[in-house]
Amino acid sequence: MTDPRAAKDAARAQTRARRDSLSDDQMRAFAADALRERFLEDLVRPGFIPDGPVAGYWPLGSELDVRPLLLHLRTGGRSIALPVSGPRGQALTFRDWDPALPLAAGRYGIQEPGADRPEVVPAVLLVPMLAFDRSGHRLGYGAGYYDRTLDALRAIRPVLAVGMAFAAQEMDAVPCGAHDERLDWILTERETLRFAQ
């Protein structure tokens, strides 16, 4: 019997290397722009995005950059938030993001809004990942932040979880466990995937 933790660790190493190999800046900029347009065309215009704040993320390493989308949504009047990492094992919290204000390096060196920014409960959560499959499962970094966050948010209110990834991050089947939260949508620079919950 395969150890689920070992399977996840092996998949993380493989998919991180694959994502890191996407190093061409022009291709990354194209993917960020394509993702913005896909989100607007396939989710916003048809009315799939609920009212309320959208929480994105500040890209870490080779993660797909969602900042062009966040800036577009904010210019259109949408409240935008970024995550704040607390102790390992706890859900993320979110604070309002004003691009005109400085950010601070958080727990993992990721840029976060300062403690003076108001906390936000998102209606839409953009989720980074190392890999995904066509069942709506994602592979994260192993700390469980997004699984705990989605579980906590879904206990309070409906939240739309949208995974953001390069098409090259797809796997046949992501190793998953009982506590792994499925995504509602996954967007890549090539396609939009929707999953029934």
PDB file of all heavy atoms in Angstrom, residues 83-106:
ATOM      1  N   PRO A  83      -3.645  37.126   1.651  1.00  0.00           N
ATOM      2  CA  PRO A  83      -3.572  36.300   2.863  1.00  0.00           C
ATOM      3  C   PRO A  83      -2.462  36.734   3.805  1.00  0.00           C
ATOM      4  O   PRO A  83      -1.452  37.301   3.388  1.00  0.00           O
ATOM      5  CB  PRO A  83      -3.305  34.898   2.314  1.00  0.00           C
ATOM      6  CG  PRO A  83      -2.643  35.117   1.002  1.00  0.00           C
ATOM      7  CD  PRO A  83      -3.205  36.403   0.461  1.00  0.00           C
ATOM      8  N   VAL A  84      -2.689  36.413   5.068  1.00  0.00           N
ATOM      9  CA  VAL A  84      -1.704  36.631   6.125  1.00  0.00           C
ATOM     10  C   VAL A  84      -1.480  35.275   6.790  1.00  0.00           C
ATOM     11  O   VAL A  84      -2.427  34.664   7.294  1.00  0.00           O
ATOM     12  CB  VAL A  84      -2.207  37.669   7.149  1.00  0.00           C
ATOM     13  CG1 VAL A  84      -1.210  37.819   8.296  1.00  0.00           C
ATOM     14  CG2 VAL A  84      -2.462  39.009   6.464  1.00  0.00           C
ATOM     15  N   SER A  85      -0.255  34.796   6.762  1.00  0.00           N
ATOM     16  CA  SER A  85       0.061  33.477   7.323  1.00  0.00           C
ATOM     17  C   SER A  85       0.286  33.566   8.819  1.00  0.00           C
ATOM     18  O   SER A  85       1.131  34.325   9.284  1.00  0.00           O
ATOM     19  CB  SER A  85       1.328  32.911   6.670  1.00  0.00           C
ATOM     20  OG  SER A  85       1.136  32.765   5.288  1.00  0.00           O
ATOM     21  N   GLY A  86      -0.474  32.767   9.546  1.00  0.00           N
ATOM     22  CA  GLY A  86      -0.264  32.645  10.976  1.00  0.00           C
ATOM     23  C   GLY A  86       0.566  31.398  11.263  1.00  0.00           C
ATOM     24  O   GLY A  86       1.246  30.879  10.382  1.00  0.00           O
ATOM     25  N   PRO A  87       0.474  30.902  12.470  1.00  0.00           N
ATOM     26  CA  PRO A  87       1.212  29.690  12.825  1.00  0.00           C
ATOM     27  C   PRO A  87       0.785  28.501  11.962  1.00  0.00           C
ATOM     28  O   PRO A  87      -0.371  28.407  11.539  1.00  0.00           O
ATOM     29  CB  PRO A  87       0.834  29.459  14.292  1.00  0.00           C
ATOM     30  CG  PRO A  87       0.370  30.780  14.787  1.00  0.00           C
ATOM     31  CD  PRO A  87      -0.241  31.473  13.611  1.00  0.00           C
ATOM     32  N   ARG A  88       1.726  27.612  11.703  1.00  0.00           N
ATOM     33  CA  ARG A  88       1.427  26.406  10.931  1.00  0.00           C
ATOM     34  C   ARG A  88       0.293  25.648  11.615  1.00  0.00           C
ATOM     35  O   ARG A  88       0.232  25.556  12.843  1.00  0.00           O
ATOM     36  CB  ARG A  88       2.688  25.535  10.858  1.00  0.00           C
ATOM     37  CG  ARG A  88       2.585  24.394   9.872  1.00  0.00           C
ATOM     38  CD  ARG A  88       3.912  23.652   9.831  1.00  0.00           C
ATOM     39  NE  ARG A  88       3.828  22.469   9.005  1.00  0.00           N
ATOM     40  CZ  ARG A  88       4.321  22.371   7.779  1.00  0.00           C
ATOM     41  NH1 ARG A  88       4.962  23.391   7.245  1.00  0.00           N
ATOM     42  NH2 ARG A  88       4.201  21.270   7.080  1.00  0.00           N
ATOM     43  N   GLY A  89      -0.622  25.137  10.816  1.00  0.00           N
ATOM     44  CA  GLY A  89      -1.751  24.401  11.362  1.00  0.00           C
ATOM     45  C   GLY A  89      -2.999  25.238  11.551  1.00  0.00           C
ATOM     46  O   GLY A  89      -4.028  24.712  11.952  1.00  0.00           O
ATOM     47  N   GLN A  90      -2.917  26.545  11.268  1.00  0.00           N
ATOM     48  CA  GLN A  90      -4.085  27.412  11.391  1.00  0.00           C
ATOM     49  C   GLN A  90      -4.512  27.918  10.016  1.00  0.00           C
ATOM     50  O   GLN A  90      -3.704  27.994   9.086  1.00  0.00           O
ATOM     51  CB  GLN A  90      -3.782  28.597  12.306  1.00  0.00           C
ATOM     52  CG  GLN A  90      -3.583  28.206  13.750  1.00  0.00           C
ATOM     53  CD  GLN A  90      -3.489  29.420  14.661  1.00  0.00           C
ATOM     54  OE1 GLN A  90      -3.636  30.554  14.224  1.00  0.00           O
ATOM     55  NE2 GLN A  90      -3.244  29.170  15.929  1.00  0.00           N
ATOM     56  N   ALA A  91      -5.781  28.290   9.924  1.00  0.00           N
ATOM     57  CA  ALA A  91      -6.297  28.862   8.678  1.00  0.00           C
ATOM     58  C   ALA A  91      -5.676  30.234   8.444  1.00  0.00           C
ATOM     59  O   ALA A  91      -5.248  30.914   9.386  1.00  0.00           O
ATOM     60  CB  ALA A  91      -7.814  28.977   8.754  1.00  0.00           C
ATOM     61  N   LEU A  92      -5.622  30.624   7.184  1.00  0.00           N
ATOM     62  CA  LEU A  92      -5.160  31.961   6.823  1.00  0.00           C
ATOM     63  C   LEU A  92      -6.201  32.993   7.232  1.00  0.00           C
ATOM     64  O   LEU A  92      -7.398  32.702   7.278  1.00  0.00           O
ATOM     65  CB  LEU A  92      -4.956  32.054   5.312  1.00  0.00           C
ATOM     66  CG  LEU A  92      -3.909  31.136   4.695  1.00  0.00           C
ATOM     67  CD1 LEU A  92      -4.073  31.108   3.172  1.00  0.00           C
ATOM     68  CD2 LEU A  92      -2.511  31.587   5.065  1.00  0.00           C
ATOM     69  N   THR A  93      -5.743  34.195   7.491  1.00  0.00           N
ATOM     70  CA  THR A  93      -6.644  35.336   7.580  1.00  0.00           C
ATOM     71  C   THR A  93      -6.332  36.227   6.376  1.00  0.00           C
ATOM     72  O   THR A  93      -5.308  36.054   5.705  1.00  0.00           O
ATOM     73  CB  THR A  93      -6.451  36.120   8.897  1.00  0.00           C
ATOM     74  OG1 THR A  93      -5.089  36.535   8.999  1.00  0.00           O
ATOM     75  CG2 THR A  93      -6.827  35.272  10.096  1.00  0.00           C
ATOM     76  N   PHE A  94      -7.218  37.165   6.101  1.00  0.00           N
ATOM     77  CA  PHE A  94      -7.065  38.016   4.930  1.00  0.00           C
ATOM     78  C   PHE A  94      -7.227  39.472   5.334  1.00  0.00           C
ATOM     79  O   PHE A  94      -8.085  39.809   6.147  1.00  0.00           O
ATOM     80  CB  PHE A  94      -8.099  37.641   3.863  1.00  0.00           C
ATOM     81  CG  PHE A  94      -7.957  36.223   3.396  1.00  0.00           C
ATOM     82  CD1 PHE A  94      -8.620  35.199   4.042  1.00  0.00           C
ATOM     83  CD2 PHE A  94      -7.120  35.909   2.337  1.00  0.00           C
ATOM     84  CE1 PHE A  94      -8.464  33.884   3.648  1.00  0.00           C
ATOM     85  CE2 PHE A  94      -6.962  34.600   1.931  1.00  0.00           C
ATOM     86  CZ  PHE A  94      -7.635  33.585   2.584  1.00  0.00           C
ATOM     87  N   ARG A  95      -6.394  40.332   4.726  1.00  0.00           N
ATOM     88  CA  ARG A  95      -6.474  41.764   4.968  1.00  0.00           C
ATOM     89  C   ARG A  95      -6.623  42.492   3.647  1.00  0.00           C
ATOM     90  O   ARG A  95      -6.076  42.079   2.609  1.00  0.00           O
ATOM     91  CB  ARG A  95      -5.224  42.267   5.692  1.00  0.00           C
ATOM     92  CG  ARG A  95      -5.120  41.788   7.123  1.00  0.00           C
ATOM     93  CD  ARG A  95      -4.074  42.561   7.887  1.00  0.00           C
ATOM     94  NE  ARG A  95      -3.864  41.973   9.199  1.00  0.00           N
ATOM     95  CZ  ARG A  95      -2.697  41.519   9.641  1.00  0.00           C
ATOM     96  NH1 ARG A  95      -1.624  41.596   8.883  1.00  0.00           N
ATOM     97  NH2 ARG A  95      -2.607  41.004  10.839  1.00  0.00           N
ATOM     98  N   ASP A  96      -7.349  43.605   3.720  1.00  0.00           N
ATOM     99  CA  ASP A  96      -7.567  44.440   2.544  1.00  0.00           C
ATOM    100  C   ASP A  96      -6.236  44.870   1.933  1.00  0.00           C
ATOM    101  O   ASP A  96      -5.309  45.255   2.651  1.00  0.00           O
ATOM    102  CB  ASP A  96      -8.386  45.669   2.942  1.00  0.00           C
ATOM    103  CG  ASP A  96      -8.676  46.562   1.758  1.00  0.00           C
ATOM    104  OD1 ASP A  96      -9.485  46.156   0.911  1.00  0.00           O
ATOM    105  OD2 ASP A  96      -8.077  47.648   1.680  1.00  0.00           O
ATOM    106  N   TRP A  97      -6.156  44.795   0.609  1.00  0.00           N
ATOM    107  CA  TRP A  97      -4.936  45.184  -0.103  1.00  0.00           C
ATOM    108  C   TRP A  97      -5.150  46.493  -0.841  1.00  0.00           C
ATOM    109  O   TRP A  97      -6.021  46.591  -1.701  1.00  0.00           O
ATOM    110  CB  TRP A  97      -4.506  44.114  -1.089  1.00  0.00           C
ATOM    111  CG  TRP A  97      -3.291  44.486  -1.894  1.00  0.00           C
ATOM    112  CD1 TRP A  97      -2.172  45.118  -1.438  1.00  0.00           C
ATOM    113  CD2 TRP A  97      -3.081  44.266  -3.287  1.00  0.00           C
ATOM    114  NE1 TRP A  97      -1.266  45.285  -2.472  1.00  0.00           N
ATOM    115  CE2 TRP A  97      -1.800  44.775  -3.613  1.00  0.00           C
ATOM    116  CE3 TRP A  97      -3.847  43.682  -4.295  1.00  0.00           C
ATOM    117  CZ2 TRP A  97      -1.271  44.721  -4.907  1.00  0.00           C
ATOM    118  CZ3 TRP A  97      -3.316  43.612  -5.577  1.00  0.00           C
ATOM    119  CH2 TRP A  97      -2.043  44.132  -5.864  1.00  0.00           C
ATOM    120  N   ASP A  98      -4.363  47.492  -0.487  1.00  0.00           N
ATOM    121  CA  ASP A  98      -4.325  48.757  -1.202  1.00  0.00           C
ATOM    122  C   ASP A  98      -2.954  48.836  -1.866  1.00  0.00           C
ATOM    123  O   ASP A  98      -1.934  48.958  -1.173  1.00  0.00           O
ATOM    124  CB  ASP A  98      -4.515  49.924  -0.230  1.00  0.00           C
ATOM    125  CG  ASP A  98      -4.540  51.272  -0.929  1.00  0.00           C
ATOM    126  OD1 ASP A  98      -4.083  51.359  -2.099  1.00  0.00           O
ATOM    127  OD2 ASP A  98      -4.999  52.246  -0.317  1.00  0.00           O
ATOM    128  N   PRO A  99      -2.881  48.750  -3.217  1.00  0.00           N
ATOM    129  CA  PRO A  99      -1.582  48.749  -3.897  1.00  0.00           C
ATOM    130  C   PRO A  99      -0.746  50.005  -3.653  1.00  0.00           C
ATOM    131  O   PRO A  99       0.465  49.988  -3.876  1.00  0.00           O
ATOM    132  CB  PRO A  99      -1.956  48.630  -5.375  1.00  0.00           C
ATOM    133  CG  PRO A  99      -3.329  48.077  -5.393  1.00  0.00           C
ATOM    134  CD  PRO A  99      -3.996  48.576  -4.150  1.00  0.00           C
ATOM    135  N   ALA A 100      -1.381  51.081  -3.177  1.00  0.00           N
ATOM    136  CA  ALA A 100      -0.642  52.311  -2.914  1.00  0.00           C
ATOM    137  C   ALA A 100       0.102  52.269  -1.584  1.00  0.00           C
ATOM    138  O   ALA A 100       0.942  53.127  -1.320  1.00  0.00           O
ATOM    139  CB  ALA A 100      -1.597  53.503  -2.927  1.00  0.00           C
ATOM    140  N   LEU A 101      -0.205  51.276  -0.761  1.00  0.00           N
ATOM    141  CA  LEU A 101       0.422  51.176   0.554  1.00  0.00           C
ATOM    142  C   LEU A 101       1.514  50.111   0.563  1.00  0.00           C
ATOM    143  O   LEU A 101       1.411  49.117  -0.158  1.00  0.00           O
ATOM    144  CB  LEU A 101      -0.631  50.837   1.617  1.00  0.00           C
ATOM    145  CG  LEU A 101      -1.740  51.869   1.798  1.00  0.00           C
ATOM    146  CD1 LEU A 101      -2.755  51.374   2.813  1.00  0.00           C
ATOM    147  CD2 LEU A 101      -1.168  53.217   2.220  1.00  0.00           C
ATOM    148  N   PRO A 102       2.541  50.298   1.375  1.00  0.00           N
ATOM    149  CA  PRO A 102       3.617  49.300   1.413  1.00  0.00           C
ATOM    150  C   PRO A 102       3.143  47.994   2.033  1.00  0.00           C
ATOM    151  O   PRO A 102       2.231  47.973   2.860  1.00  0.00           O
ATOM    152  CB  PRO A 102       4.690  49.968   2.286  1.00  0.00           C
ATOM    153  CG  PRO A 102       3.963  50.983   3.093  1.00  0.00           C
ATOM    154  CD  PRO A 102       2.790  51.433   2.273  1.00  0.00           C
ATOM    155  N   LEU A 103       3.780  46.909   1.613  1.00  0.00           N
ATOM    156  CA  LEU A 103       3.526  45.589   2.177  1.00  0.00           C
ATOM    157  C   LEU A 103       4.705  45.216   3.070  1.00  0.00           C
ATOM    158  O   LEU A 103       5.764  45.832   3.014  1.00  0.00           O
ATOM    159  CB  LEU A 103       3.364  44.553   1.061  1.00  0.00           C
ATOM    160  CG  LEU A 103       2.178  44.777   0.115  1.00  0.00           C
ATOM    161  CD1 LEU A 103       2.264  43.835  -1.070  1.00  0.00           C
ATOM    162  CD2 LEU A 103       0.861  44.582   0.851  1.00  0.00           C
ATOM    163  N   ALA A 104       4.503  44.193   3.879  1.00  0.00           N
ATOM    164  CA  ALA A 104       5.567  43.719   4.762  1.00  0.00           C
ATOM    165  C   ALA A 104       5.796  42.238   4.503  1.00  0.00           C
ATOM    166  O   ALA A 104       4.869  41.512   4.134  1.00  0.00           O
ATOM    167  CB  ALA A 104       5.172  43.938   6.219  1.00  0.00           C
ATOM    168  N   ALA A 105       7.033  41.787   4.693  1.00  0.00           N
ATOM    169  CA  ALA A 105       7.335  40.364   4.536  1.00  0.00           C
ATOM    170  C   ALA A 105       6.716  39.603   5.701  1.00  0.00           C
ATOM    171  O   ALA A 105       6.924  39.935   6.867  1.00  0.00           O
ATOM    172  CB  ALA A 105       8.839  40.142   4.487  1.00  0.00           C
ATOM    173  N   GLY A 106       5.935  38.567   5.375  1.00  0.00           N
ATOM    174  CA  GLY A 106       5.268  37.772   6.399  1.00  0.00           C
ATOM    175  C   GLY A 106       6.094  36.578   6.836  1.00  0.00           C
ATOM    176  O   GLY A 106       7.300  36.500   6.602  1.00  0.00           O
TER     177      GLY A 106
END
